[in-house]
């Protein structure tokens, strides 16, 4: 039925170190864009801060990052923070987080164990209801204008998309499954290279219909790195991050030259993992 | 004890509507002046332009002031001042500067009298210091780099006004990466003469939120959350301020300053 809209959940993974107005804007832009196509209905936004085990330089404790994100999303009626990823003891591939949230949508009472996060069959639009012993019968009644299965799409900026090209950072099969089974909503700035990047990748090109590029009409360059730099230099970050986040950072004196040195010289978890995997 | 010159920052503009970027300009300017070690920014004033300015899409000052008030509720040093918008007609920027400078002197004077009238035993250490070392405050015009460029627009500014602004008051000019106001200053003899009174501040964290784009987004039902304070968004929705109709206001009209210049220039024109 072409009039039925697909329900979408937007999932943003990242350090959020700290969360900024730009992070929050990604959701608003993505939602507006998807709604304007007439084909989607965005029902939820999820911010999933990465775990400390990611070992990125300057990454402060997940509990602070999660708290700040929660403070920042208090005023939103559809974007929330999920700390499942950050509470795992080991770093998790983004695909696993996507699968987890997708599964959670299917069966809200599924256990939160890693074992249940198995690859799903491709959710085609006209899929017959296959008997699947991992999924309970869907009990929820659906509104007439909505298609059966909500999709979880990865929301990101062009930097994440382009990071697909960094050697050993992503597994090829992960990228494939992300764009094939889930989809990407990527917020870009005018005059960027993302389209060229997609063109030059066979996998991305094949699934380009599932990669939504959304142009930001504001020239915004509020990166967390710049925020942390400003804080180290005693400069104001007001109006770049929500007031509550600025107050929290100030009260807890979160960012300093010392905090920026955390994990200095440590190999990033995905790089560590892929190098040791290939060694085995 | 090294005495720092107290500075008040004044930003004139449409604020149609006020955005996070407008407020950010104040923060950047304050940080910059403090870093010089010579100044202490004691106040920030936002002065929305009079409705008579005649800019396309300019909504009533009543709303623009109300929105600015809401946005600045959480700031402990920036406030909005309605004087300019309450005048009968559009007022040249230099006159707005003069007015606020007079006001700042007046309030300094009444503070002095307050301290004088206190019994010595009531005076705090702070009072004594500020009384003895009361340095006259300086009022500086806060603006973006594009503002500096408007000095070039024919008939928009009077030459003697530009001179008074940079000589008597001073400019704090925020520019983004990629633009070069220093070059523009070097191309103007007047600005070069007073370049010591023009503070150039670079915004490394790009955050260009154009109020025009905000209005367009609002008309089309797109989100402006996180670009404009929530309280302002609610106010706009509640009063249905920005519509296709409001955007047509003053359509085709000349800006007031251009109208004035045209009537005074060359009455012998046949």
């Amino acid at each position: 039925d072409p009039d039925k809209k697909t329900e979408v959940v937007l999932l943003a993974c990242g350090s959020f170190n700290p969360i900024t107005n730009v992070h929050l804007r990604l959701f608003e832009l993505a939602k507006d864009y998807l709604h304007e196509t007439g084909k989607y209905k965005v029902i939820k936004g999820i911010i999933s801060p990465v775990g400390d085990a990611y070992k990125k330089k300057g990454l402060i404790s997940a509990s602070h990052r999660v708290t700040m994100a929660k403070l920042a999303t208090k005023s939103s009626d559809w974007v929330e923070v999920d700390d499942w990823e950050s509470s795992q003891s080991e770093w998790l591939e983004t695909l696993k987080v996507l699968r987890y949230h997708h599964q959670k949508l299917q069966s809200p009472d599924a256990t939160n164990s890693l074992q249940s996060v198995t690859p799903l069959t491709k959710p085609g639009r006209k899929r017959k209801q296959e008997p699947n012993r991992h999924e309970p019968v869907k009990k929820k009644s659906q509104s007439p204008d909505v298609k059966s299965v909500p999709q979880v799409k990865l929301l990101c900026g062009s930097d994440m998309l382009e990071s697909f090209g960094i050697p050993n950072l992503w597994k090829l099969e992960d990228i494939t499954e992300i764009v094939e089974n889930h989809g990407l909503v990527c917020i870009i700035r005018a005059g960027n290279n993302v389209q060229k990047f997609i063109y030059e990748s066979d996998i991305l090109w094949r699934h380009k219909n599932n990669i939504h590029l959304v142009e930001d009409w504001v020239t915004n360059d509020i990166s967390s790195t710049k925020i942390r730099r400003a804080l180290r230099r005693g400069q104001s970050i007001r109006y770049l991050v929500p007031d509550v986040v600025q107050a929290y950072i100030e009260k807890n004196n979160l960012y300093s030259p010392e905090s920026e040195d955390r994990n200095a010289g440590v190999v990033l978890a995905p790089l560590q993992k892929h190098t040791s995997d290939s060694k085995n | 004890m090294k005495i720092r010159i107290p500075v008040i920052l004044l930003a004139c503009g449409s604020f149609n509507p006020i955005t996070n970027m407008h407020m950010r300009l104040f923060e950047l300017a304050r940080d910059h002046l403090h870093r010089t070690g010579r100044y202490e920014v004691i106040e920030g004033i936002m002065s929305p332009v009079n409705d008579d300015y005649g800019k396309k899409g300019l909504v009533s000052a009543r709303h623009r002031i109300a929105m600015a008030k809401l946005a600045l509720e959480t700031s402990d040093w920036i406030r909005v001042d309605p004087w300019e918008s309450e005048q009968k007609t559009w007022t040249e920027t230099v006159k707005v500067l003069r007015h606020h400078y007079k006001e700042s002197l007046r309030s300094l004077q009444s503070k002095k009298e307050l301290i004088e009238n206190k019994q010595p035993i009531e005076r705090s250490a702070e009072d004594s210091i500020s009384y003895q070392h009361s340095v006259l405050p300086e009022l500086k015009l806060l603006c973006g780099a594009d503002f500096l460029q408007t000095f070039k627009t024919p008939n928009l500014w009077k030459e003697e006004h530009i001179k008074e602004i940079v000589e008597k008051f001073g400019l704090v000019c925020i520019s983004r990466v990629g633009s070069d106001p220093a070059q523009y200053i070097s191309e103007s003899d007047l600005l070069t003469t007073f370049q010591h009174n023009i503070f150039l501040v670079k915004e490394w964290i790009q955050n260009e939120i154009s109020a025009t784009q905000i209005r367009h987004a609002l008309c089309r039902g797109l989100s402006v959350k996180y670009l404009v304070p929530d309280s302002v968004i609610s106010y706009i929705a509640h009063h249905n301020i920005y519509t296709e109709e409001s955007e047509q206001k003053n359509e085709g009209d000349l800006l007031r300053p251009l109208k004035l210049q045209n009537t005074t220039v060359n009455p012998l024109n046949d």
Side-chain angles (χ1 to χ4, degrees), chain A residues 10-280:
Chain A
L10 294 167
L11 172 70
C13 297
S15 306
F16 301 103
N17 186 34
I19 192 166
T20 70
N21 283 346
V22 159
H23 291 134
L24 298 160
R25 278 285 297 154
L26 298 182
F27 285 92
E28 301 290 308
L29 286 162
K31 180 168 156 195
D32 280 346
Y33 169 87
L34 290 173
H35 283 188
E36 291 214 309
T37 64
K39 293 188 277 181
Y40 302 98
K41 181 166 184 263
V42 178
I43 58 172
K44 192 157 51 161
I46 302 174
I47 293 177
S48 176
V50 79
D52 292 335
Y54 187 51
K55 296 287 181 199
K56 190 171 181 184
K57 183 166 175 290
L59 193 69
I60 66 167
S61 114
S63 86
H64 282 311
R65 293 181 288 114
V66 166
T67 304
M68 287 188 284
K70 282 185 172 158
L71 288 169
T73 50
K74 254 201 192 138
S75 72
S76 175
D77 58 4
W78 67 284
V79 182
E80 61 190 49
V81 179
D82 190 280
D83 60 4
W84 178 81
E85 181 184 356
S86 61
S87 50
Q88 304 304 309
S89 54
E90 280 188 20
W91 170 75
L92 282 185
E93 286 93 335
T94 302
L95 175 62
K96 294 207 171 105
V97 184
L98 264 168
R99 287 180 189 155
Y100 166 78
H101 283 286
H102 187 109
Q103 196 115 67
K104 205 170 159 197
L105 275 180
Q106 311 275 66
S107 42
D109 14 86
T111 55
N112 287 350
S113 70
L114 274 173
Q115 274 67 44
S116 67
V117 184
T118 49
L120 303 163
T121 52
K122 182 176 173 176
R125 286 216 178 123
K126 298 196 171 94
R127 177 175 75 150
K128 280 187 271 190
Q129 284 297 336
E130 293 155 14
N132 186 336
R133 55 194 159 84
H134 295 294
E135 287 180 5
V137 175
K138 291 189 211 7
K139 294 196 203 90
K140 72 169 182 178
S141 60
Q142 283 137 17
S143 52
D145 65 337
V146 153
K147 285 189 177 144
S148 50
V149 181
Q151 291 179 6
V152 181
K153 295 194 180 303
L154 190 60
L155 171 65
C156 63
S158 56
D159 52 344
M160 180 182 272
L161 185 55
E162 289 179 11
S163 79
F164 284 172
I166 298 175
N168 291 326
L169 192 58
W170 297 82
K171 278 190 253 176
L172 198 59
E173 59 258 35
D174 280 15
I175 296 175
T176 310
E177 193 178 323
I178 290 173
V179 294
E180 190 172 17
N181 288 10
H182 300 278
L184 223 58
V185 182
C186 181
I187 314 297
I188 59 176
R189 236 173 290 162
N192 68 93
N193 279 331
V194 173
Q195 272 159 327
K196 178 164 178 270
F197 184 79
I198 293 174
Y199 164 76
E200 289 173 352
S201 155
D202 288 343
I203 290 186
L204 297 182
W205 181 260
R206 194 177 315 139
H207 300 286
K208 62 178 161 60
N209 291 335
N210 217 3
I211 301 175
H212 304 269
L213 298 181
V214 182
E215 220 174 273
D216 194 352
W217 42 272
V218 168
T219 313
N220 241 322
D221 195 23
I222 309 174
S223 72
S224 298
T225 304
K226 289 183 171 176
I227 296 288
R228 297 196 307 272
R229 184 178 293 137
L231 287 165
R232 289 198 302 278
R233 297 175 183 182
Q235 293 165 354
S236 166
I237 60 166
R238 283 211 75 182
Y239 312 115
L240 301 177
V241 304
D243 283 348
V244 286
V245 173
Q246 189 265 333
Y248 183 88
I249 292 173
E250 198 175 299
K251 179 160 171 237
N252 293 285
N253 200 22
L254 289 182
Y255 294 105
S256 62
E258 291 73 42
S259 71
E260 198 62 18
D261 261 340
R262 268 189 179 204
N263 297 320
V266 176
V267 179
L268 206 64
L271 297 173
Q272 175 75 36
K273 196 162 180 195
H274 296 156
T275 324
S276 64
D277 279 353
S278 57
K279 272 197 194 137
N280 288 344

Side-chain angles (χ1 to χ4, degrees), chain B residues 98-113:
Chain B
R98 289 177 196 157
H99 163 82
H100 285 288
Y101 186 66
K102 259 202 285 241
E103 283 303 302
S104 73
L105 290 182
R106 196 185 312 218
S107 98
L108 187 67
Q109 185 59 29
S110 54
K111 249 196 221 152
K112 266 200 191 153
E113 284 164 10

